[in-house]
Amino acid sequence: MAESDWDTVTVLRKKNPSASQSKSRQAVAAAQRRGEDVETTKKWSAGQNKQHLVTKNTAKLDHETEELHHQRVPLEVGKVIQKGRQDQGLTQKDLATISEKPQVIADYECGKAIPNNQVMGKIERAIGLKLRGKDIGQPLEAKAEKK
């Protein structure tokens, strides 16, 4: 009945090694001797000051001539927004209370904004002029009701 004694507890394990201890050569060798799975990888230029090493990729980037940037709202669209807003007697702040924030309206008018179809749609409905497609600046036509 000694096996069913719930009052005594026996612990037969050691404390796990810390991260730095488990990375040491002795710890890796001991784990390999025990037959455990050990994965070792050598870090590229580890422990060396080779941050600014010229590689093939950096040379390719240096010779790259294509400029990569986000497409911005054309100035034509900004002028249409400004004209439509002024025709209705609205300031940028007034238009912003209808559709977006004042800074967003200012960015669209000066051509700094990255086009967003949702924002463009809100501004189109607010000023009543088309801002997308071929006929930019034309009056916005109400869609015919589907039957």
Side-chain angles (χ1 to χ4, degrees):
M1 285 293 184
E3 297 95 65
S4 64
D5 187 14
W6 292 94
D7 293 334
T8 59
V9 176
T10 307
V11 178
L12 297 175
R13 62 184 143 128
K14 294 180 183 178
K15 186 174 86 170
N16 289 336
S18 67
S20 62
Q21 290 172 340
S22 64
K23 293 178 185 177
S24 70
R25 284 188 189 157
Q26 292 96 2
V28 171
Q32 287 174 336
R33 282 192 299 270
R34 287 192 301 266
E36 296 177 7
D37 291 334
V38 177
E39 182 180 337
T40 57
T41 57
K42 180 164 175 28
K43 292 185 179 179
W44 185 80
S45 70
Q48 299 174 5
N49 192 11
K50 291 187 178 180
Q51 297 170 355
H52 303 293
L53 183 66
V54 177
T55 62
K56 293 181 219 173
N57 290 338
T58 54
K60 282 182 186 178
L61 288 173
D62 287 342
H63 297 299
E64 186 66 45
T65 58
E66 182 181 356
E67 295 213 11
L68 303 173
H69 59 278
H70 292 289
Q71 184 179 357
R72 303 283 183 200
V73 175
L75 277 176
E76 177 189 6
V77 173
K79 299 289 183 193
V80 170
I81 294 172
Q82 193 173 27
K83 180 183 176 296
R85 176 177 59 77
Q86 289 172 347
D87 288 348
Q88 292 185 359
L90 299 172
T91 63
Q92 283 183 349
K93 188 175 181 180
D94 295 337
L95 180 59
T97 57
I98 296 171
S99 58
E100 283 293 325
K101 295 178 183 172
Q103 186 61 45
V104 173
I105 301 298
D107 287 347
Y108 271 84
E109 283 188 7
C110 66
K112 291 182 183 177
I114 298 171
N116 181 340
N117 280 330
Q118 287 183 319
V119 174
M120 298 275 270
K122 287 179 184 180
I123 297 172
E124 277 180 344
R125 288 189 296 275
I127 63 174
L129 297 174
K130 285 195 172 197
L131 301 176
R132 300 172 286 183
K134 294 178 184 175
D135 46 355
I136 294 175
Q138 299 299 317
L140 192 63
E141 300 147 6
K143 291 183 179 178
E145 291 183 27
K146 295 179 182 178
K147 292 184 180 180

